[in-house]
Amino acid sequence: MRIRSAIVLGLTAAFALTGCGSDAGSSEEAEGPRGPAPKVAALGPFVGECGHVTDDEVRDVGGLGQIAGSFKNAVGCNWQSGGMGGASITFASYRGSPLEREKAWVTTHGRPPEPITVGGRTGFAALDPRGQICDLAVQLDDDFFEWSTAFGSFSNNGGNPCDRSRALAELTIERLE
């Protein structure tokens, strides 16, 4: 008798739970979707490793002198000149990321973005008030890439770091795949 009561009680509980779940699902389906479908970003052109720019080009165009260290991975590269507080250049590629987010980031760091065009592509250049750091980003469909040049604390590099970032961005645009 106990076994039969336990089976009946178990089946009753299972039917009750199944019934509750099916009603909620059908009413949600009748209401339709809750929001727009997520946007799938179209891939822009392939910028290659380090923006298709060689170490020697970064050294010469970027004015680093001797490159003391470099770091490279799937989405970015960084080159450092010798010594603490020396000049550095960074390349980064962002797939499916909004350029507006990067504009907001440089703005919060005191570098107001100015609109630019490089090789027919829009973007921005953001120079810090001391004239030591420039972030230059270029839109590629739903992607963008960025070259950042920092003269460093003890650097004697003259001129505007945005000119160097722009020259590197022009090389990247010329070599897009």
Side-chain angles (χ1 to χ4, degrees), residues 64-88:
L64 288 182
Q66 194 70 345
I67 294 176
S70 67
F71 171 79
K72 300 174 184 178
N73 67 23
V75 295
C77 303
N78 177 266
W79 298 266
Q80 300 280 327
S81 66
M84 184 190 302
S88 68

Side-chain angles (χ1 to χ4, degrees), residues 81-132:
S81 66
M84 184 190 302
S88 68
I89 294 178
T90 303
F91 171 82
S93 173
Y94 299 90
R95 288 270 191 206
S97 184
L99 187 62
E100 294 304 316
R101 185 180 324 158
E102 191 67 13
K103 279 184 183 179
W105 187 89
V106 297
T107 300
T108 62
H109 285 80
R111 300 190 283 265
E114 298 291 330
I116 61 163
T117 301
V118 179
R121 308 264 184 171
T122 61
F124 70 85
L127 180 65
D128 80 316
R130 297 180 313 131
Q132 296 292 303

